[in-house]
Amino acid sequence: KVQAARSQYTFTQDVLVQTLDGKAVDGQFHQITKISHDDKGKRVENVSFAEQSTLRGIQVSDADLDDIRNFMPWIMTSEQAPQYNVTYSGRQHVDDLDTYVFQVEPKNFDKDRRYFQGRIWVDDRDLQIVKLCGKSVPDVIAKKKKKNQPMEVRPTFVSYRQLVDGNWFPAYARVDDTLNFGVQSVHVREIVKFTGYKRTGATTAASKP
């Protein structure tokens, strides 16, 4: 339901990725993209701002962008549900919401597919995901590493939702993680914002408190 509803909106995706040396930022990637969907529901991306990446020790890969598109705003659909073990972990107060907490683990790993692994918080009134914390799995690590071939290691992220026209849409996600690539480790910080939701053909999409 939520995924289908979100495809009826345009919004802005703002991605900031930074590498850190201690507390100092020593590299950065920043990209702003306008997201819409065509009449068949296919996602359309128009980059409105992109600066030259100065990241050190890592690069923003297709898998990273896939995380931003599919896993930071992850919504478990009825088709995906049988692929996961979902374990109830109790109740928790999140901001002003009372939520049910569930641990989510993929049952199996099909070749060339990635899955969400982590924890989700579900609002006890709307029964929609309002927060999630986890990562996409598995990490992609080549068995025979070719020269200059980057090793893929996925960071853990926390993602929050906002209420838009009765649906909890992704609003904000962040990463503050140290990625280990064999002998090298890189401290990475990411901030991803999904803003300006506007229903296709409507003048505004008011957010409810």
Side-chain angles (χ1 to χ4, degrees), residues 45 48 54 80 117 151 166:
E45 301 186 0
S48 59
T54 57
Q80 292 173 325
Q117 181 181 64
M151 184 186 297

Side-chain angles (χ1 to χ4, degrees), residues 73-196:
W74 187 74
I75 298 160
M76 183 188 289
T77 64
S78 56
E79 291 81 13
Q80 292 173 325
Q83 302 168 10
Y84 289 90
N85 290 318
V86 181
T87 307
Y88 178 65
S89 299
R91 296 176 65 102
Q92 192 171 341
H93 200 65
V94 177
D95 296 328
D96 295 326
L97 303 172
D98 291 311
T99 67
Y100 303 113
V101 187
F102 297 91
Q103 189 69 29
V104 179
E105 304 278 346
K107 291 180 180 178
N108 299 293
F109 291 97
D110 292 340
K111 187 179 180 182
D112 299 327
R113 287 196 61 184
R114 285 167 46 245
Y115 302 84
F116 175 77
Q117 181 181 64
R119 197 168 266 211
I120 62 174
W121 286 257
V122 176
D123 176 50
D124 69 352
R125 290 183 303 171
D126 298 323
L127 299 180
Q128 294 183 35
I129 296 174
V130 294
K131 176 185 174 182
L132 64 159
C133 178
K135 59 181 287 187
S136 64
V137 291
D139 289 332
V140 183
I141 301 175
K143 292 181 179 178
K144 292 185 178 179
K145 187 168 170 56
K146 299 177 182 177
K147 187 176 181 181
N148 297 326
Q149 179 185 2
M151 184 186 297
E152 295 282 3
V153 180
R154 316 308 319 137
T156 297
F157 60 83
V158 179
S159 179
Y160 297 89
R161 308 290 166 92
Q162 66 176 349
L163 194 57
V164 179
D165 297 337
N167 290 298
W168 288 93
F169 286 168
Y172 174 85
R174 63 179 169 82
V175 167
D176 192 343
D177 202 0
T178 298
L179 307 182
N180 296 304
F181 304 91
V183 296
Q184 182 188 22
S185 61
V186 180
H187 184 187
V188 178
R189 182 167 61 201
E190 294 181 34
I191 297 173
V192 181
K193 299 175 184 177
F194 305 100
T195 61

Side-chain angles (χ1 to χ4, degrees), residues 10-58:
T10 60
F11 58 93
T12 299
Q13 174 183 287
D14 187 325
V15 179
L16 178 67
V17 182
Q18 296 175 323
T19 48
L20 292 91
D21 180 7
K23 294 184 178 180
V25 175
D26 64 2
Q28 180 168 295
F29 168 94
H30 190 196
Q31 180 176 286
I32 300 173
T33 308
K34 189 75 173 178
I35 309 297
S36 59
H37 294 80
D38 64 18
D39 55 7
K40 294 182 179 179
K42 185 178 179 181
R43 182 183 173 105
V44 178
E45 301 186 0
N46 289 301
V47 176
S48 59
F49 173 82
E51 65 182 18
Q52 184 71 30
S53 174
T54 57
L55 293 172
R56 297 172 64 87
I58 64 168

